[in-house]
Amino acid sequence: HKEKITKWRCVLEEGQEVVLTIDESDDVVTVETNPMPLTSEDTDANFLFYSGKTLKICGKQMFLYDRESNRVFDDRMMYWFDIVSKTRSTMELKVHLITWYDDNTQGWIIKNYKFNKVL
């Protein structure tokens, strides 16, 4: 089972990083941040990534996931990640974040986060 665990790291800026631990056997992703909570200049990242958050990979997308109820929140009411590309050493995620306060974005903020494999 251990060989099915991978870790991916994204450095947002100096002193701000996100680590995703993916259990490939059940497609569950656990988020860790350093520091906890993030204090990045990327305020969206501070909201999207926090230690202890769990995501579920469904095809080429990741959604919020509640382990206790085994429930995937795929109604897209707030945000989700698209797995744009994944190689042996890199993974790029595109986040779709629905906002109700910024008319200029027409309700969507789309950003990309690049991760490098560390394990």
Side-chain angles (χ1 to χ4, degrees):
H1 182 74
K2 212 175 184 187
E3 66 276 358
K4 295 187 181 205
I5 303 289
T6 58
K7 284 191 182 245
W8 303 82
R9 183 173 150 230
C10 175
V11 177
L12 301 168
E13 61 211 47
E14 188 173 340
Q16 303 287 314
E17 70 177 12
V18 176
V19 176
L20 302 179
T21 302
I22 302 176
D23 185 336
E24 307 275 351
S25 65
D26 61 4
D27 291 329
V28 172
V29 181
T30 305
V31 178
E32 297 171 65
T33 65
N34 185 21
M36 182 183 83
L38 288 173
T39 55
S40 173
E41 291 178 19
D42 180 346
T43 55
D44 291 322
N46 296 339
F47 165 73
L48 293 167
F49 301 108
Y50 56 85
S51 288
K53 176 184 278 189
T54 307
L55 303 166
K56 179 84 169 173
I57 299 172
C58 300
K60 292 276 190 189
Q61 297 177 311
M62 287 186 205
F63 299 101
L64 277 173
Y65 178 64
D66 180 359
R67 280 182 196 244
E68 288 183 25
S69 66
N70 193 28
R71 180 165 177 224
V72 175
F73 297 92
D74 62 354
D75 55 3
R76 299 185 179 181
M77 290 303 292
M78 196 152 355
Y79 63 89
W80 71 94
F81 299 94
D82 284 334
I83 302 170
V84 176
S85 66
K86 185 177 176 187
T87 67
R88 296 182 99 166
S89 60
T90 63
M91 178 171 58
E92 183 176 349
L93 300 180
K94 179 184 285 185
V95 63
H96 300 266
L97 175 64
I98 300 171
T99 61
W100 306 112
Y101 55 85
D102 187 349
D103 293 333
N104 295 326
T105 64
Q106 299 176 0
W108 304 94
I109 293 175
I110 299 176
K111 289 188 170 192
N112 286 38
Y113 293 96
K114 295 184 190 230
F115 288 81
N116 292 308
K117 191 172 185 180
V118 292
L119 174 70

Short mmCIF file of all heavy atoms in Angstrom, two decimals, residues 1-9 20-30 54-62 65 67 83 85-91 93 115-119:
data_model
loop_
_atom_site.label_atom_id
_atom_site.label_comp_id
_atom_site.label_asym_id
_atom_site.label_seq_id
_atom_site.Cartn_x
_atom_site.Cartn_y
_atom_site.Cartn_z
N HIS A 1 0.83 -1.19 0.00
CA HIS A 1 0.00 0.00 0.00
C HIS A 1 0.87 1.26 0.00
O HIS A 1 0.50 2.26 -0.59
CB HIS A 1 -0.93 -0.02 1.21
CG HIS A 1 -1.85 1.16 1.27
ND1 HIS A 1 -2.93 1.28 0.44
CD2 HIS A 1 -1.84 2.26 2.04
CE1 HIS A 1 -3.55 2.42 0.73
NE2 HIS A 1 -2.91 3.02 1.69
N LYS A 2 2.02 1.21 0.64
CA LYS A 2 2.88 2.37 0.76
C LYS A 2 3.29 2.94 -0.60
O LYS A 2 3.39 4.14 -0.78
CB LYS A 2 4.12 2.00 1.57
CG LYS A 2 4.66 3.10 2.39
CD LYS A 2 5.80 2.58 3.24
CE LYS A 2 6.29 3.68 4.14
NZ LYS A 2 7.47 3.32 4.86
N GLU A 3 3.51 2.07 -1.57
CA GLU A 3 3.93 2.54 -2.89
C GLU A 3 2.83 3.29 -3.62
O GLU A 3 3.06 3.91 -4.65
CB GLU A 3 4.45 1.38 -3.74
CG GLU A 3 3.41 0.36 -4.11
CD GLU A 3 3.16 -0.71 -3.05
OE1 GLU A 3 3.85 -0.70 -2.00
OE2 GLU A 3 2.29 -1.55 -3.25
N LYS A 4 1.62 3.26 -3.10
CA LYS A 4 0.52 3.96 -3.73
C LYS A 4 0.31 5.35 -3.13
O LYS A 4 -0.64 6.03 -3.48
CB LYS A 4 -0.76 3.14 -3.62
CG LYS A 4 -0.67 1.84 -4.39
CD LYS A 4 -1.97 1.13 -4.42
CE LYS A 4 -1.79 -0.17 -5.20
NZ LYS A 4 -3.00 -0.64 -5.78
N ILE A 5 1.19 5.76 -2.23
CA ILE A 5 1.12 7.09 -1.63
C ILE A 5 2.12 7.99 -2.34
O ILE A 5 3.29 7.65 -2.47
CB ILE A 5 1.46 7.05 -0.13
CG1 ILE A 5 0.54 6.09 0.64
CG2 ILE A 5 1.44 8.45 0.47
CD1 ILE A 5 -0.88 6.54 0.80
N THR A 6 1.64 9.14 -2.83
CA THR A 6 2.54 10.11 -3.45
C THR A 6 2.36 11.46 -2.77
O THR A 6 1.28 11.75 -2.23
CB THR A 6 2.28 10.26 -4.96
OG1 THR A 6 0.92 10.65 -5.17
CG2 THR A 6 2.56 8.97 -5.70
N LYS A 7 3.43 12.26 -2.77
CA LYS A 7 3.37 13.61 -2.19
C LYS A 7 3.77 14.61 -3.26
O LYS A 7 4.71 14.38 -4.02
CB LYS A 7 4.30 13.74 -0.99
CG LYS A 7 3.77 13.07 0.24
CD LYS A 7 4.59 13.47 1.46
CE LYS A 7 4.07 12.76 2.67
NZ LYS A 7 3.50 13.64 3.64
N TRP A 8 3.05 15.72 -3.28
CA TRP A 8 3.25 16.77 -4.27
C TRP A 8 3.35 18.11 -3.55
O TRP A 8 2.55 18.39 -2.65
CB TRP A 8 2.09 16.79 -5.25
CG TRP A 8 1.89 15.49 -5.94
CD1 TRP A 8 1.23 14.39 -5.45
CD2 TRP A 8 2.38 15.11 -7.22
NE1 TRP A 8 1.28 13.37 -6.36
CE2 TRP A 8 1.98 13.79 -7.46
CE3 TRP A 8 3.10 15.78 -8.20
CZ2 TRP A 8 2.28 13.13 -8.64
CZ3 TRP A 8 3.40 15.13 -9.37
CH2 TRP A 8 2.99 13.81 -9.59
N ARG A 9 4.31 18.93 -3.94
CA ARG A 9 4.56 20.19 -3.25
C ARG A 9 4.47 21.38 -4.20
O ARG A 9 5.00 21.34 -5.30
CB ARG A 9 5.95 20.15 -2.63
CG ARG A 9 6.30 21.35 -1.84
CD ARG A 9 7.64 21.11 -1.14
NE ARG A 9 8.32 22.36 -1.00
CZ ARG A 9 9.56 22.60 -1.34
NH1 ARG A 9 10.30 21.65 -1.84
NH2 ARG A 9 10.07 23.78 -1.17
N LEU A 20 0.34 18.10 -1.03
CA LEU A 20 -0.79 17.20 -1.21
C LEU A 20 -0.29 15.77 -1.10
O LEU A 20 0.65 15.40 -1.80
CB LEU A 20 -1.42 17.40 -2.60
CG LEU A 20 -1.91 18.80 -2.94
CD1 LEU A 20 -2.48 18.81 -4.36
CD2 LEU A 20 -2.95 19.27 -1.94
N THR A 21 -0.90 14.99 -0.22
CA THR A 21 -0.59 13.57 -0.11
C THR A 21 -1.74 12.82 -0.75
O THR A 21 -2.88 12.93 -0.31
CB THR A 21 -0.42 13.15 1.37
OG1 THR A 21 0.62 13.95 1.95
CG2 THR A 21 -0.06 11.68 1.48
N ILE A 22 -1.40 12.08 -1.81
CA ILE A 22 -2.43 11.36 -2.57
C ILE A 22 -2.30 9.87 -2.31
O ILE A 22 -1.25 9.28 -2.53
CB ILE A 22 -2.32 11.64 -4.08
CG1 ILE A 22 -2.44 13.13 -4.35
CG2 ILE A 22 -3.39 10.84 -4.85
CD1 ILE A 22 -2.25 13.52 -5.80
N ASP A 23 -3.39 9.28 -1.82
CA ASP A 23 -3.46 7.82 -1.69
C ASP A 23 -4.08 7.33 -2.99
O ASP A 23 -5.29 7.44 -3.20
CB ASP A 23 -4.32 7.43 -0.49
CG ASP A 23 -4.33 5.93 -0.25
OD1 ASP A 23 -4.08 5.17 -1.22
OD2 ASP A 23 -4.58 5.52 0.88
N GLU A 24 -3.22 6.82 -3.86
CA GLU A 24 -3.66 6.41 -5.20
C GLU A 24 -4.63 5.23 -5.16
O GLU A 24 -5.37 4.99 -6.10
CB GLU A 24 -2.44 6.05 -6.07
CG GLU A 24 -1.37 7.12 -6.12
CD GLU A 24 -1.61 8.19 -7.17
OE1 GLU A 24 -2.52 8.01 -8.00
OE2 GLU A 24 -0.88 9.18 -7.16
N SER A 25 -4.64 4.48 -4.04
CA SER A 25 -5.52 3.31 -3.96
C SER A 25 -6.99 3.70 -3.82
O SER A 25 -7.87 2.97 -4.26
CB SER A 25 -5.11 2.39 -2.82
OG SER A 25 -5.29 3.04 -1.58
N ASP A 26 -7.27 4.86 -3.21
CA ASP A 26 -8.67 5.28 -3.09
C ASP A 26 -8.90 6.71 -3.56
O ASP A 26 -9.97 7.27 -3.36
CB ASP A 26 -9.19 5.09 -1.66
CG ASP A 26 -8.44 5.91 -0.63
OD1 ASP A 26 -7.55 6.69 -1.01
OD2 ASP A 26 -8.75 5.77 0.57
N ASP A 27 -7.87 7.31 -4.20
CA ASP A 27 -7.97 8.65 -4.78
C ASP A 27 -8.36 9.71 -3.76
O ASP A 27 -9.06 10.68 -4.08
CB ASP A 27 -8.96 8.67 -5.96
CG ASP A 27 -8.43 7.91 -7.16
OD1 ASP A 27 -7.20 7.89 -7.36
OD2 ASP A 27 -9.25 7.33 -7.89
N VAL A 28 -7.88 9.56 -2.53
CA VAL A 28 -8.12 10.55 -1.50
C VAL A 28 -6.87 11.41 -1.33
O VAL A 28 -5.75 10.90 -1.29
CB VAL A 28 -8.53 9.90 -0.16
CG1 VAL A 28 -8.60 10.91 0.95
CG2 VAL A 28 -9.87 9.20 -0.32
N VAL A 29 -7.07 12.71 -1.24
CA VAL A 29 -5.98 13.68 -1.15
C VAL A 29 -6.08 14.40 0.19
O VAL A 29 -7.14 14.93 0.53
CB VAL A 29 -6.07 14.72 -2.29
CG1 VAL A 29 -4.93 15.71 -2.23
CG2 VAL A 29 -6.14 14.03 -3.65
N THR A 30 -4.96 14.44 0.93
CA THR A 30 -4.91 15.17 2.18
C THR A 30 -4.00 16.38 1.98
O THR A 30 -2.93 16.27 1.40
CB THR A 30 -4.35 14.29 3.32
OG1 THR A 30 -5.14 13.10 3.39
CG2 THR A 30 -4.42 15.00 4.65
N THR A 54 -9.55 17.48 3.11
CA THR A 54 -9.52 16.25 2.32
C THR A 54 -10.25 16.49 1.01
O THR A 54 -11.32 17.10 0.98
CB THR A 54 -10.21 15.11 3.10
OG1 THR A 54 -9.62 15.00 4.39
CG2 THR A 54 -10.05 13.79 2.38
N LEU A 55 -9.63 16.00 -0.06
CA LEU A 55 -10.20 16.09 -1.39
C LEU A 55 -10.34 14.69 -1.96
O LEU A 55 -9.67 13.76 -1.50
CB LEU A 55 -9.31 16.92 -2.31
CG LEU A 55 -8.99 18.34 -1.86
CD1 LEU A 55 -7.83 18.91 -2.66
CD2 LEU A 55 -10.22 19.22 -2.00
N LYS A 56 -11.18 14.53 -2.94
CA LYS A 56 -11.37 13.24 -3.61
C LYS A 56 -11.17 13.45 -5.10
O LYS A 56 -11.75 14.38 -5.69
CB LYS A 56 -12.77 12.70 -3.34
CG LYS A 56 -13.09 11.39 -4.00
CD LYS A 56 -12.60 10.22 -3.21
CE LYS A 56 -13.18 8.92 -3.75
NZ LYS A 56 -12.63 7.75 -3.14
N ILE A 57 -10.36 12.59 -5.71
CA ILE A 57 -10.15 12.64 -7.15
C ILE A 57 -11.27 11.86 -7.82
O ILE A 57 -11.50 10.70 -7.50
CB ILE A 57 -8.78 12.06 -7.54
CG1 ILE A 57 -7.66 12.88 -6.90
CG2 ILE A 57 -8.63 12.02 -9.06
CD1 ILE A 57 -6.28 12.27 -7.07
N CYS A 58 -11.97 12.52 -8.73
CA CYS A 58 -13.04 11.91 -9.51
C CYS A 58 -12.71 12.17 -10.97
O CYS A 58 -12.94 13.28 -11.46
CB CYS A 58 -14.39 12.51 -9.14
SG CYS A 58 -14.84 12.32 -7.41
N GLY A 59 -12.14 11.18 -11.63
CA GLY A 59 -11.71 11.37 -13.01
C GLY A 59 -10.55 12.34 -13.07
O GLY A 59 -9.50 12.11 -12.49
N LYS A 60 -10.75 13.46 -13.74
CA LYS A 60 -9.72 14.49 -13.89
C LYS A 60 -10.01 15.71 -13.02
O LYS A 60 -9.55 16.81 -13.31
CB LYS A 60 -9.62 14.92 -15.35
CG LYS A 60 -9.10 13.86 -16.27
CD LYS A 60 -7.60 13.87 -16.22
CE LYS A 60 -7.02 12.98 -17.31
NZ LYS A 60 -5.61 12.80 -17.15
N GLN A 61 -10.80 15.52 -11.95
CA GLN A 61 -11.15 16.62 -11.07
C GLN A 61 -11.00 16.21 -9.61
O GLN A 61 -11.04 15.03 -9.28
CB GLN A 61 -12.59 17.08 -11.35
CG GLN A 61 -12.77 17.61 -12.75
CD GLN A 61 -14.19 17.99 -13.04
OE1 GLN A 61 -15.11 17.23 -12.78
NE2 GLN A 61 -14.38 19.18 -13.60
N MET A 62 -10.82 17.23 -8.75
CA MET A 62 -10.77 17.01 -7.30
C MET A 62 -11.84 17.87 -6.66
O MET A 62 -11.99 19.05 -7.00
CB MET A 62 -9.42 17.45 -6.73
CG MET A 62 -8.27 16.58 -7.04
SD MET A 62 -6.84 17.19 -6.11
CE MET A 62 -5.53 16.58 -7.14
N TYR A 65 -14.12 16.59 0.12
CA TYR A 65 -14.55 15.24 0.46
C TYR A 65 -14.66 15.11 1.97
O TYR A 65 -13.79 15.56 2.72
CB TYR A 65 -13.51 14.25 -0.08
CG TYR A 65 -13.77 12.80 0.23
CD1 TYR A 65 -14.90 12.15 -0.26
CD2 TYR A 65 -12.88 12.08 0.99
CE1 TYR A 65 -15.13 10.81 0.01
CE2 TYR A 65 -13.09 10.73 1.27
CZ TYR A 65 -14.22 10.11 0.78
OH TYR A 65 -14.44 8.78 1.05
N ARG A 67 -14.65 12.32 4.70
CA ARG A 67 -14.35 10.89 4.91
C ARG A 67 -15.41 10.19 5.75
O ARG A 67 -15.75 9.04 5.50
CB ARG A 67 -13.00 10.73 5.61
CG ARG A 67 -11.84 10.86 4.70
CD ARG A 67 -10.57 10.63 5.53
NE ARG A 67 -9.41 11.09 4.83
CZ ARG A 67 -8.44 10.30 4.42
NH1 ARG A 67 -8.49 9.02 4.66
NH2 ARG A 67 -7.41 10.80 3.79
N ILE A 83 -7.48 18.59 -12.87
CA ILE A 83 -6.11 18.12 -13.02
C ILE A 83 -5.76 18.35 -14.49
O ILE A 83 -6.16 17.60 -15.37
CB ILE A 83 -5.97 16.64 -12.63
CG1 ILE A 83 -6.42 16.43 -11.18
CG2 ILE A 83 -4.51 16.18 -12.83
CD1 ILE A 83 -6.55 14.98 -10.77
N SER A 85 -2.70 18.58 -15.95
CA SER A 85 -1.68 17.64 -16.42
C SER A 85 -1.03 16.97 -15.22
O SER A 85 -0.97 17.54 -14.13
CB SER A 85 -0.62 18.35 -17.26
OG SER A 85 0.12 19.26 -16.46
N LYS A 86 -0.60 15.74 -15.41
CA LYS A 86 0.08 15.00 -14.36
C LYS A 86 1.09 14.07 -15.04
O LYS A 86 0.72 13.26 -15.87
CB LYS A 86 -0.91 14.20 -13.53
CG LYS A 86 -0.28 13.50 -12.34
CD LYS A 86 -1.36 12.80 -11.52
CE LYS A 86 -0.76 12.01 -10.39
NZ LYS A 86 -1.75 11.21 -9.69
N THR A 87 2.36 14.27 -14.69
CA THR A 87 3.42 13.40 -15.18
C THR A 87 4.02 12.68 -13.97
O THR A 87 3.50 12.81 -12.86
CB THR A 87 4.52 14.20 -15.91
OG1 THR A 87 5.20 15.02 -14.96
CG2 THR A 87 3.93 15.07 -17.03
N ARG A 88 5.11 11.99 -14.18
CA ARG A 88 5.75 11.32 -13.05
C ARG A 88 6.30 12.31 -12.03
O ARG A 88 6.46 11.98 -10.86
CB ARG A 88 6.88 10.43 -13.55
CG ARG A 88 6.38 9.31 -14.43
CD ARG A 88 7.51 8.45 -14.83
NE ARG A 88 7.50 7.30 -13.94
CZ ARG A 88 8.18 6.21 -14.16
NH1 ARG A 88 8.95 6.12 -15.22
NH2 ARG A 88 8.11 5.21 -13.33
N SER A 89 6.61 13.55 -12.48
CA SER A 89 7.27 14.49 -11.57
C SER A 89 6.53 15.81 -11.36
O SER A 89 6.87 16.56 -10.45
CB SER A 89 8.68 14.80 -12.09
OG SER A 89 8.60 15.35 -13.39
N THR A 90 5.53 16.10 -12.18
CA THR A 90 4.80 17.36 -12.03
C THR A 90 3.30 17.15 -12.14
O THR A 90 2.83 16.19 -12.76
CB THR A 90 5.22 18.40 -13.09
OG1 THR A 90 4.87 17.90 -14.38
CG2 THR A 90 6.70 18.72 -13.02
N MET A 91 2.56 18.06 -11.52
CA MET A 91 1.10 18.04 -11.62
C MET A 91 0.64 19.50 -11.62
O MET A 91 1.10 20.29 -10.80
CB MET A 91 0.50 17.29 -10.44
CG MET A 91 -1.02 17.28 -10.43
SD MET A 91 -1.75 16.16 -9.19
CE MET A 91 -1.06 16.78 -7.67
N LEU A 93 -2.73 21.90 -11.36
CA LEU A 93 -4.15 21.98 -11.01
C LEU A 93 -4.68 23.34 -11.40
O LEU A 93 -4.01 24.36 -11.19
CB LEU A 93 -4.34 21.79 -9.50
CG LEU A 93 -3.86 20.49 -8.89
CD1 LEU A 93 -4.14 20.50 -7.39
CD2 LEU A 93 -4.53 19.30 -9.54
N PHE A 115 2.57 21.75 -9.01
CA PHE A 115 3.13 20.93 -7.94
C PHE A 115 4.25 20.07 -8.51
O PHE A 115 4.19 19.63 -9.65
CB PHE A 115 2.05 20.01 -7.36
CG PHE A 115 1.02 20.73 -6.53
CD1 PHE A 115 -0.04 21.40 -7.14
CD2 PHE A 115 1.10 20.73 -5.15
CE1 PHE A 115 -0.98 22.07 -6.39
CE2 PHE A 115 0.15 21.40 -4.39
CZ PHE A 115 -0.89 22.06 -5.01
N ASN A 116 5.27 19.84 -7.68
CA ASN A 116 6.35 18.92 -8.01
C ASN A 116 6.28 17.73 -7.09
O ASN A 116 6.00 17.89 -5.90
CB ASN A 116 7.72 19.60 -7.88
CG ASN A 116 7.92 20.67 -8.94
OD1 ASN A 116 7.73 20.40 -10.12
ND2 ASN A 116 8.25 21.86 -8.52
N LYS A 117 6.54 16.55 -7.62
CA LYS A 117 6.49 15.33 -6.82
C LYS A 117 7.69 15.30 -5.87
O LYS A 117 8.82 15.55 -6.29
CB LYS A 117 6.49 14.11 -7.73
CG LYS A 117 6.18 12.82 -7.01
CD LYS A 117 6.02 11.70 -8.02
CE LYS A 117 5.59 10.43 -7.34
NZ LYS A 117 5.44 9.35 -8.33
N VAL A 118 7.42 15.01 -4.60
CA VAL A 118 8.49 14.92 -3.61
C VAL A 118 8.61 13.50 -3.04
O VAL A 118 9.58 13.19 -2.37
CB VAL A 118 8.33 15.95 -2.47
CG1 VAL A 118 8.54 17.34 -3.01
CG2 VAL A 118 6.99 15.82 -1.78
N LEU A 119 7.64 12.65 -3.28
CA LEU A 119 7.69 11.25 -2.81
C LEU A 119 6.90 10.37 -3.75
O LEU A 119 5.81 10.69 -4.17
CB LEU A 119 7.09 11.14 -1.40
CG LEU A 119 6.93 9.73 -0.83
CD1 LEU A 119 8.29 9.12 -0.50
CD2 LEU A 119 6.04 9.77 0.39
#
